[in-house]
Amino acid sequence: MHSRKILFLIEIPVFVAFSYILDSIPFLKFSIWAQGGSISLVMIPIFLLSFRWGLKGGLVGGALLGILKLILGRPYILVPLQGFLDYGVAFTVLGFAGLFAFKVQHAIKEGQYKHALWFVTLGVLTGSTLRFFAHFYAGAVFFGSAIDGMGKWLFSFLYNMSYIGPSILICALAVFYLIKKQPRLLILK
């Protein structure tokens, strides 16, 4: 059991660093808006971490990623609460994919890969949707609308969905593919 704790402490920063690197490589990241938001692969390692280590691993990894992006990235912060939502909360909640870790691992152990992929999809959608809502709320409350006549809630929805929507699809397909090709990746020995 002691070696499992050490493995946990080693894997979390490795997955977080990999996530940050994926988000930093220019040809793997497509920035849409000048104010922030990009289509990237940043969520993939956090989802894998979540399915491998469960809720605890996912939340810790997501929180560390948010802190890393805040410290090393170019954060766009108007007020502290908005920064907390856009960086702290938005990346931490990706770890809620870990709610499905037991179901995914159990299905893989039983050889029921279709079930495993179903739970992976639910986990990715859960974490991604929660991330979307963190950005959506921060956008509506703190940024408002950049288009005259468009309400701030509609603008925030459209703005954030324009990059999070494609990111959800790309990351879901990538995680789905990785787990389909290497399902044992999520099983701890």
Side-chain angles (χ1 to χ4, degrees):
M1 191 54 110
H2 183 67
S3 63
R4 193 173 166 113
K5 288 181 182 179
I6 292 172
L7 185 61
F8 179 80
L9 292 173
I10 291 170
E11 284 190 3
I12 296 239
V14 169
F15 276 76
V16 170
F18 188 54
S19 188
Y20 186 79
I21 290 168
L22 284 175
D23 195 44
S24 300
I25 299 173
F27 66 86
L28 292 178
K29 182 177 179 174
F30 181 69
S31 294
I32 296 180
W33 306 106
Q35 297 87 359
S38 61
I39 299 169
S40 76
L41 307 175
V42 69
M43 298 185 286
I44 294 170
I46 302 303
F47 289 139
L48 293 174
L49 186 64
S50 298
F51 294 129
R52 187 165 165 81
W53 287 100
L55 188 62
K56 181 180 176 183
L59 292 174
V60 170
L64 290 173
L65 175 61
I67 292 168
L68 198 60
K69 286 181 67 67
L70 189 62
I71 294 171
L72 299 178
R74 289 178 292 193
Y76 191 80
I77 300 174
L78 296 175
V79 296
L81 182 56
Q82 171 265 322
F84 176 71
L85 286 171
D86 275 339
Y87 294 94
V89 174
F91 291 101
T92 300
V93 296
L94 292 173
F96 276 102
L99 289 171
F100 299 93
F102 176 76
K103 296 275 191 185
V104 170
Q105 292 177 12
H106 179 71
I108 289 171
K109 287 176 184 175
E110 297 294 318
Q112 299 174 338
Y113 297 111
K114 287 185 181 181
H115 284 93
L117 295 174
W118 169 251
F119 289 116
V120 163
T121 303
L122 286 175
V124 167
L125 288 175
T126 299
S128 299
T129 301
L130 291 171
R131 176 185 175 198
F132 167 78
F133 280 119
H135 290 306
F136 167 67
Y137 183 77
V141 172
F142 298 105
F143 290 97
S145 178
I147 300 175
D148 288 336
M150 183 183 284
K152 63 183 183 179
W153 294 100
L154 178 59
F155 179 77
S156 182
F157 177 84
L158 295 173
Y159 181 92
N160 287 293
M161 190 51 76
S162 71
Y163 70 92
I164 293 180
S167 290
I168 291 170
L169 182 62
I170 291 167
C171 290
L173 290 173
V175 170
F176 195 82
Y177 177 79
L178 287 169
I179 292 171
K180 185 174 182 177
K181 290 296 182 185
Q182 229 16 274
R184 298 282 177 196
L185 176 70
L186 303 182
I187 305 298
L188 295 169
K189 296 188 183 204

